[in-house]
């Protein structure tokens, strides 16, 4: 089911998205060498509670997880990229940390992720993160009314190819609104001018993520944490956006 949102509903998703942007800014400021992932999880819980938001992750139990999930944020370090289960780990110098969170406020969901480097950056990690940000920008720029879903995927895939990173096709972006995952699926690679026509009111989470040298993934024994199959580092950038008459509108930014 694909549900187009009214301008008023998009404003509500933007209110949720603004909260998420502030939360990710807050956690980015806290993440430092020696800080434990569980401290970041607890800070996210505190902010969610203060705001009266509802975590979309808590009790999330998809077919692939050994659910239900009992955390409010995914924290993925280095070769971990998606669904990283927060655990008792103190961040080390040079760690590449990805934070991904979705919450609902007043019934409307927003979803955003970002990767940061803790302490001293490695040039190759900065390049990897930059590639996902550029791919996200390119995907968003393609989200014009009248364009096709494939235009977004093709734009993302082109940036990955320019940087020389392979693209996994199992996990990508998605529709969202009243719930965290709605139609359509938004692959991170695809053919331009194919697929669904983008119409005003369509709301999407666009989320390029790449590993440096593989498109294959492996699961941890926790059933959640997804890593690059070859242990190479990974990065992920995600925004929730709305297609509007005036073009794409980013909902998970402070603007
Ligand atoms: Mg997300
Ligand atoms: Mg998402």
């Amino acid at each position: 089911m694909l549900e187009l949102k009214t301008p008023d509903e998009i404003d509500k998703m933007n209110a949720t998205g603004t909260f998420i942007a502030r939360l990710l800014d807050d956690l980015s400021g806290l993440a430092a060498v020696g800080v434990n992932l569980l401290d970041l999880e607890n800070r996210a819980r505190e902010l969610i509670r203060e705001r009266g938001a509802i975590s979309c992750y808590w009790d999330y139990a998809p077919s692939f997880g050994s659910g239900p999930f009992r955390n409010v944020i995914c924290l993925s370090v280095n070769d971990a990229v998606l669904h990283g289960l927060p655990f008792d780990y103190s961040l080390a110098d040079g760690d590449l940390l990805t934070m991904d969170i979705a919450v609902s406020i007043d019934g409307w969901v927003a979803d955003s992720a970002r990767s940061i480097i803790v302490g001293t950056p490695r040039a190759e990690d900065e390049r990897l993160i930059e590639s996902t940000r550029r791919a996200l920008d390119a995907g968003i720029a393609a989200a014009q009314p009248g364009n096709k879903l494939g235009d977004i995927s093709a734009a993302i895939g082109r940036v990955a190819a320019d940087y020389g990173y392979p693209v996994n096709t199992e996990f990508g972006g998605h529709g969202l609104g009243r719930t965290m995952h709605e139609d359509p699926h938004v692959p991170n690679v695809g053919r331009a001018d194919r697929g669904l026509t983008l119409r005003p009111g369509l709301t999407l989470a666009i989320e390029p993520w790449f590993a440096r040298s593989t498109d294959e993934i492996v699961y941890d024994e926790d059933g959640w944490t997804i890593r690059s199959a070859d242990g190479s580092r990974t990065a992920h950038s995600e925004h929730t956006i709305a297609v509007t008459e005036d073009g794409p509108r980013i909902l998970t930014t402070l603007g």
Side-chain angles (χ1 to χ4, degrees):
M1 243 296 275
L2 199 154
E3 187 195 13
L4 297 176
K5 280 76 178 180
T6 66
D8 181 54
E9 290 168 343
I10 290 170
D11 285 343
K12 287 178 176 163
M13 289 177 67
N14 184 218
T16 309
T18 300
F19 166 76
I20 285 182
R22 287 209 181 96
L23 182 149
L24 288 175
D25 281 351
D26 185 286
L27 295 190
S28 298
L30 283 179
V33 176
V35 170
N36 197 292
L37 297 182
L38 297 178
D39 295 335
L40 300 178
E41 163 74 22
N42 286 332
R43 177 62 177 158
R45 288 186 193 189
E46 183 183 353
L47 291 169
I48 286 171
R49 194 170 49 241
E50 282 172 1
R51 181 63 175 82
I54 295 170
S55 167
C56 297
Y57 291 171
W58 194 266
D59 278 347
Y60 182 52
S63 56
F64 58 81
S66 63
F69 201 76
R70 282 296 163 91
N71 292 277
V72 301
I73 189 163
C74 291
L75 299 171
S76 306
V77 179
N78 297 337
D79 58 325
V81 64
L82 297 174
H83 308 152
L85 193 68
F87 67 107
D88 182 7
Y89 172 78
S90 295
L91 290 164
D93 190 41
D95 274 350
L96 196 167
L97 171 67
T98 296
M99 302 177 286
D100 189 356
I101 189 159
V103 306
S104 168
I105 296 173
D106 296 331
W108 293 96
V109 173
D111 182 3
S112 184
R114 66 174 75 159
S115 293
I116 61 169
I117 295 167
V118 176
T120 317
R122 303 182 189 179
E124 66 262 34
D125 291 342
E126 291 182 310
R127 182 175 187 272
L128 184 62
I129 293 173
E130 176 190 86
S131 75
T132 64
R133 289 184 184 151
R134 290 215 173 140
L136 178 58
D137 289 345
I140 292 170
Q144 304 288 342
N147 275 4
K148 299 285 176 62
L149 196 62
D151 293 316
I152 298 175
S153 300
I156 293 170
R158 236 181 342 260
V159 174
D162 286 348
Y163 277 82
Y165 301 132
V167 180
N168 172 283
T169 53
E170 291 160 82
F171 289 95
H174 49 94
L176 75 173
R178 295 176 198 273
T179 62
M180 175 168 57
H181 289 128
E182 299 179 357
D183 287 338
H185 175 61
V186 188
N188 285 329
V189 65
R191 295 171 70 179
D193 207 28
R194 297 292 175 98
L196 179 80
T197 299
L198 306 178
R199 288 198 285 152
L202 182 66
T203 48
L204 300 172
I206 299 179
E207 49 178 312
W209 63 272
F210 310 132
R212 278 190 70 206
S213 50
T214 183
D215 58 0
E216 292 182 30
I217 53 174
V218 290
Y219 286 79
D220 274 9
E221 280 184 11
D222 63 25
W224 288 102
T225 308
I226 295 177
R227 299 177 187 276
S228 64
D230 65 357
S232 61
R233 289 195 167 190
T234 63
H236 183 193
S237 294
E238 176 179 26
H239 274 310
T240 296
I241 67 118
V243 178
T244 77
E245 303 276 3
D246 304 324
R249 177 181 170 195
I250 303 174
L251 304 181
T252 41
T253 179
L254 299 181

